[in-house]
Amino acid sequence: MSAPRASLSREFATGHQGTTLVLMICTNWVWAGLYAGPYSATPAEVSVAPSLRATVATRRLIVGGKSYPLSGTCLQSIRRWLDRNGVSVRNAPSPKS
């Protein structure tokens, strides 16, 4: 049996009005916090996914039902980081026309 892994966290500049998205991956859940800037002490928005899953849509990351707007480059970086660290990232269904 392997030992439980320590939590991982990383900051990503969202590309929207100087905000920073901090993601934390723990043993069985993912935490997301949106900060007004890189030096903010407390997040303006927070969400938690009760499993190692996240969803991406057009320029958005969805964690625990909360949607965070991101630049395309930022979303690509986040998706790679989550995937490399064991989080299942799926695409949101496209809206039907």
Side-chain angles (χ1 to χ4, degrees), residues 68-81:
Y68 298 96
L70 305 166
S71 70
T73 304
C74 179
L75 184 58
Q76 184 178 14
S77 296
I78 286 173
R79 186 173 194 153
R80 273 195 306 261
W81 183 77

Side-chain angles (χ1 to χ4, degrees), residues 2 4 7-8 10 14 17-18 29 33 38-41 43 51 56-57 65 72-73 77 80 82 84-85 90 95:
S2 63
S7 64
L8 302 169
R10 184 157 169 203
T14 65
Q17 301 173 343
W29 49 276
Y39 304 108
S40 298
S51 63
V56 294
T73 304
S77 296
R80 273 195 306 261
L82 290 171
R84 275 194 311 260
N85 290 293
R90 65 182 178 97

Side-chain angles (χ1 to χ4, degrees), residues 2 9 13 15 17 23 26 31 35 40 44 53 58 60 64 67 69 72 75 77-78 80-81 84 93 96:
S2 63
S9 65
Q17 301 173 343
L23 296 173
C26 293
W31 180 91
Y35 291 78
S40 298
R53 292 192 184 121
T58 306
R60 292 181 296 130
S67 178
L75 184 58
S77 296
I78 286 173
R80 273 195 306 261
W81 183 77
R84 275 194 311 260
K96 306 230 186 237

